[in-house]
Amino acid sequence: MSIEHHTAELPAVRLHYLLAGHGPALLLLHGWPQSSHEWRLLIPELAKRYRVIAPDLRGLGDSGRPVGGYDKMTIAGDLRVLLREKLGITQTAVVGHDWGGAVAYALAAQDRALVTRLAILDMLLPGVELPGLGPDALSSYWHFGFHGVRDLPEMLVAGRERAYISWFFQNFAYNPRAITEADVDEYARCLAQPGALRAGFEYYRAAGQDAVDFAAAARERLAIPVLALGGERSIGAAVRLCMEQVANDVRGGVIERCGHWIAEEQPQALRDALLAFLGEA
């Protein structure tokens, strides 16, 4: 399977993205501290049936790093331009993990004609009230507060990018060996580039604006089918609970023997779940 690397110059940002396969469009959105490399184990199989587009989101991977614009509605706007104006895509299914899941929801909420199906992997939406957990369940994760502090994380992590993200891959995984040393090298390469740490932490600093935007967007529930999956050793069933607050047709559950990094820890289980979900269309 040939995977092509492309770069699109958008009005607000330069985006690097991967293209593979033919068929209905399928957009894959990675999280932090990752890049489109996150989808390496899934693209060859998904591209047998779909035209897969896997961008590096604004500020991450090999994409550009503007000073601002890290609220998820703005990042979703980048993708609207990429899909509609650069690639001529008018409808797509979307899969998003971690912050990519928040961007995926933002895209579905702001362009309801574009997104036909939505899959959210191990992410809760800021500002969405969860029964028994409230509207700020993400605050229980220590790194959300740390990353949200201006300048301090950059000062402490600069020059130690690989060691820092290795902690997350080891401690947020069910199987700490699921992400190889070579994969960590690739993610660290991207984060060591000028401005990359700042851009990545800006995803967290924008969470307050995301909460406002998502609370407003949730007033009009999504009508499209939604697949919500959480890792057994991570957010778990709360992912589906979250999406049930913003969409009418939600299915999914928990991926067993899996932590936060679903696409890399359990690629076969995720592939099967996605193909079954997408194949309903």
Side-chain angles (χ1 to χ4, degrees), residues 244-262:
E244 287 174 342
Q245 313 311 306
V246 302
N248 293 325
D249 179 6
V250 182
R251 71 290 302 271
V254 175
I255 301 290
E256 296 180 352
R257 298 185 300 280
C258 187
H260 180 59
W261 320 104
I262 296 177

Side-chain angles (χ1 to χ4, degrees), residues 208-225:
Q209 183 61 52
D210 298 334
V212 173
D213 293 338
F214 290 171
R219 297 187 189 117
E220 182 182 354
R221 297 170 68 85
L222 297 180
I224 57 173

Side-chain angles (χ1 to χ4, degrees), residues 16-182:
H16 167 256
Y17 63 98
L18 308 180
L19 277 183
H22 302 278
L26 175 59
L27 181 67
L28 305 179
L29 304 179
H30 65 87
W32 183 92
Q34 298 166 290
S35 66
S36 55
H37 184 73
E38 172 180 344
W39 306 108
R40 65 197 176 279
L41 303 177
L42 287 167
I43 289 177
E45 289 297 319
L46 295 175
K48 293 177 182 178
R49 306 186 191 187
Y50 299 95
R51 183 186 184 191
V52 176
I53 308 101
D56 290 341
L57 297 176
R58 171 188 289 240
L60 299 174
D62 288 310
S63 288
R65 298 176 176 83
V67 172
Y70 292 92
D71 64 279
K72 309 314 169 287
M73 289 293 185
T74 296
I75 296 171
D78 296 338
L79 302 176
R80 291 180 69 190
V81 175
L82 174 67
L83 293 171
R84 287 190 175 277
E85 299 182 17
K86 298 296 184 179
L87 299 177
I89 293 171
T90 58
Q91 287 193 319
T92 185
V94 183
V95 180
H97 168 243
D98 189 80
W99 281 122
V103 175
Y105 170 71
L107 183 61
Q110 71 178 225
D111 195 338
R112 294 171 188 251
L114 176 65
V115 179
T116 58
R117 286 182 170 252
L118 177 66
I120 304 295
L121 309 180
D122 217 64
M123 184 60 184
L124 303 178
L125 301 178
V128 174
E129 183 91 27
L130 271 66
L133 296 176
D136 196 20
L138 290 173
S139 64
S140 63
Y141 292 92
W142 67 268
H143 64 289
F144 272 73
F146 176 58
H147 293 176
V149 177
R150 181 70 59 188
D151 298 331
L152 178 64
E154 290 94 323
M155 179 176 66
L156 297 178
V157 177
R160 306 175 182 88
E161 293 87 357
R162 194 185 191 285
Y164 186 65
I165 64 173
S166 292
W167 187 94
F168 290 93
F169 290 132
Q170 293 171 7
N171 287 276
F172 284 14
Y174 183 91
N175 175 9
R177 296 185 180 182
I179 299 178
T180 69
E181 293 297 307

